[in-house]
């Protein structure tokens, strides 16, 4: 049995308690402390697990029993907290989004690399059994080449004080696409269209289209104003199509052996007809039930022990951020925008 690693959770608001619970019950971790500027909140959460509650980040970082910190504070605070933790030699897992700009996120990734600590992003959905299975199906060629990915994430949501609907919800869709697409999400252009029908000062309904290499297209629809809740991702492949309906526990994943076939031939012959429909079986892969955050904290521990980047490392967080920034530029300009930089998965 490996020795456990010590962790402190920073931020005891809405999401921090989920991290604290998963670290506490993980065989890989010892939850050592909860830190929040609001000491009452920290104390309430810490009491559930019999650990220390602190207000001062410096106190947490000076504690030699703490090997790592998990940051669940608002996005604009991720950078200063992560940089202080990295400078103290602590491994870091950060909630999405990695930072509120790619420039700051790049500094975080460089600092972690220079210090030799793990920087992980909690792209929670990438640790759900459904997305892990979907990735397996993509990797083993079951779907063929990916032609399109369409993701819908709509419900009645809280209008956030600091971010629009793209920055609040689309990190989920983009991180799923980044995880499923071979080599990660590298759109050649991003077009965002948003609406603010209530006059809140920020987009509450958003549509984000991405041209992907090889002629494929990615699309995400995010919406805080929808009375119905939909969480659906369709991955259209040249061989099969996968549909993930996260709100259907009986059949979250469906694989359709149905699609359109084009017979080989000239472009003219193809456009004139020569199209046939493939009407094969539909099947539902069996999925184990496991909380995504339990798998996420396990991956964080393994990456630290093995000295390797985690499955969702800083560069994955950066790729998602660069698409969000391109979307922001596109919203402002009304034109397609090209994401800056091209981030390959890290090798070390
Ligand atoms: N992975 C997911 O599915 C998921 C879901 C929800 C939220 N999140 C992310 O989690 C993060 C936190 O979101 P939330 O909804 O829990 O926010 P929240 O506002 O409910 O809680 C944030 C907490 O951080 C504390 N805080 C703020 N600045 C701090 C600092 N400098 N040091 C210590 N504590 C500080 C606040 O007092 C508050 O208790 C965000 O990045 C959000 O995007 C992720």
């Amino acid at each position: 049995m490996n020795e456990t690693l010590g962790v402190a959770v920073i931020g005891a608001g809405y999401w921090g308690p989920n991290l604290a619970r998963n670290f506490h019950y993980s065989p890989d971790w010892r939850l050592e402390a909860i830190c929040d500027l609001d000491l009452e909140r920290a104390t309430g959460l810490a009491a559930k697990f019999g650990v220390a509650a602190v207000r001062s980040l410096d106190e947490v970082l000076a504690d030699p029993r703490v090997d790592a910190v998990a940051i669940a504070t608002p996005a604009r605070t991720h950078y200063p907290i992560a940089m202080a933790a990295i400078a103290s030699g602590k491994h870091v897992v950060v909630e999405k989004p990695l930072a509120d700009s790619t420039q700051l996120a790049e500094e975080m990734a460089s600092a972690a690399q220079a210090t030799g600590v793990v920087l992980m992003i909690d792209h929670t959905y990438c640790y759900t059994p459904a997305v892990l299975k979907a990735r397996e199906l993509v990797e083993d060629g079951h779907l063929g080449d990916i032609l399109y990915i369409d993701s819908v994430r709509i419900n009645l949501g809280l209008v956030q004080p600091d971010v629009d609907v793209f920055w609040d919800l689309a990190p989920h869709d983009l991180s799923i696409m980044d995880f499923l697409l071979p080599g990660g999400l590298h759109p050649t252009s991003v077009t965002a269209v948003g609406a603010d029908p209530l006059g809140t000062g920020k987009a509450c309904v958003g549509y984000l289209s991405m041209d992907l290499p090889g002629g494929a297209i990615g699309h995400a629809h995010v919406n805080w104003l929808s009375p119905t809740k939909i969480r659906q991702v369709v991955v259209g492949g040249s061989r099969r199509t996968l549909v993930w309906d996260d709100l259907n526990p009986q059949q979250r994943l469906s694989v359709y052996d149905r699609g359109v076939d084009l017979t080989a031939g000239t472009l003219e012959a193809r456009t004139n007809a020569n199209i046939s429909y493939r009407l094969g079986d539909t099947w539902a892969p069996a999925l184990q039930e496991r909380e995504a955050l339990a798998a996420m904290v396990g991956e964080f521990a393994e990456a630290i022990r093995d000295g390797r980047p985690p499955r969702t490392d800083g560069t994955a967080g950066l790729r998602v951020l660069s698409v969000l920034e391109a979307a922001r530029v596109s919203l402002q300009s009304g034109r397609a925008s090209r994401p800056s930089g091209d981030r390959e998965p890290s090798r070390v």
Side-chain angles (χ1 to χ4, degrees):
M1 176 73 190
N2 286 315
E3 261 188 47
T4 54
L5 295 157
V7 64
V9 171
I10 320 292
Y14 164 65
W15 196 247
N18 292 325
L19 292 176
R21 177 173 47 78
N22 277 279
F23 279 117
H24 178 73
Y25 290 111
S26 164
D28 296 310
W29 291 96
R30 290 180 329 273
L31 181 64
E32 292 283 359
I34 306 290
C35 170
D36 200 299
L37 291 179
D38 180 336
L39 189 57
E40 211 174 301
R41 269 193 190 172
T43 306
L45 182 57
K48 288 188 182 161
F49 305 112
V51 300
V54 286
R55 194 173 179 281
S56 152
L57 178 65
D58 290 343
E59 204 179 308
V60 170
L61 299 181
D63 186 341
R65 292 168 305 169
V66 172
D67 301 293
V69 298
I71 303 173
T73 55
R76 67 180 178 287
T77 65
H78 292 177
Y79 172 82
I81 298 174
M83 290 302 269
I86 292 166
S88 304
K90 310 293 183 191
H91 304 283
V92 178
V93 61
V94 188
E95 271 312 319
K96 60 84 191 166
L98 190 53
D100 55 356
S101 84
T102 45
Q103 192 202 326
L104 297 181
E106 261 161 15
E107 284 179 36
M108 289 157 67
S110 306
Q113 186 143 26
T115 316
V117 296
V118 168
L119 174 64
M120 177 165 176
I121 173 87
D122 174 22
H123 283 161
T124 312
Y125 278 100
C126 302
Y127 296 92
T128 57
V131 176
L132 288 167
K133 185 69 190 179
R135 176 159 147 146
E136 196 184 302
L137 293 170
V138 171
E139 272 177 354
D140 72 10
H142 209 75
L143 304 185
D145 296 331
I146 293 180
L147 308 178
Y148 65 90
I149 303 190
D150 195 70
S151 189
V152 184
R153 187 170 305 279
I154 67 177
N155 56 276
L156 278 185
L158 291 176
V159 174
Q160 300 288 333
D162 51 347
V163 290
D164 67 11
V165 71
F166 290 100
W167 282 71
D168 183 38
L169 296 184
H172 294 306
D173 309 280
L174 298 174
S175 63
I176 292 164
M177 292 182 197
D178 183 64
F179 196 63
L180 293 183
L181 286 164
L185 178 62
H186 297 276
T188 50
S189 82
V190 174
T191 306
V193 180
D196 176 20
L198 300 183
T200 63
K202 54 178 76 77
C204 295
V205 180
Y207 301 90
L208 201 162
S209 298
M210 289 160 285
D211 290 324
L212 304 175
I217 187 165
H219 185 258
H221 171 197
V222 285
N223 186 337
W224 281 330
L225 308 182
S226 165
T228 54
K229 181 169 179 171
I230 304 179
R231 295 272 183 278
Q232 184 177 276
V233 179
V234 181
V235 184
S238 54
R239 298 182 63 202
R240 294 183 184 86
T241 292
L242 177 88
V243 178
W244 171 32
D245 180 356
D246 200 31
L247 302 183
N248 180 359
Q250 273 78 42
Q251 189 165 335
R252 281 193 215 281
L253 279 190
S254 308
V255 181
Y256 293 85
D257 192 1
R258 282 189 238 164
V260 177
D261 283 335
L262 289 178
T263 48
T266 63
L267 181 62
E268 193 183 35
R270 283 182 177 198
T271 46
N272 280 346
N274 292 2
I275 290 174
S276 62
Y277 293 97
R278 220 170 349 99
L279 298 172
D281 292 338
T282 300
W283 61 284
L287 298 174
Q288 49 155 219
E289 284 296 327
R290 186 179 185 198
E291 186 174 352
L293 282 182
M296 190 282 285
V297 303
E299 169 69 2
F300 188 33
E302 260 183 53
I304 293 169
R305 289 200 180 108
D306 298 349
R308 61 162 173 86
R311 238 181 274 151
T312 51
D313 66 357
T315 56
L318 268 164
R319 286 192 295 275
V320 167
L321 269 189
S322 66
V323 174
L324 288 173
E325 284 205 338
R328 183 151 59 193
V329 172
S330 171
L331 270 183
Q332 283 160 0
S333 69
R335 295 210 299 268
S337 162
R338 198 182 166 82
S340 63
D342 194 26
R343 293 172 183 91
E344 298 298 334
S346 51
R347 273 167 210 85
V348 185

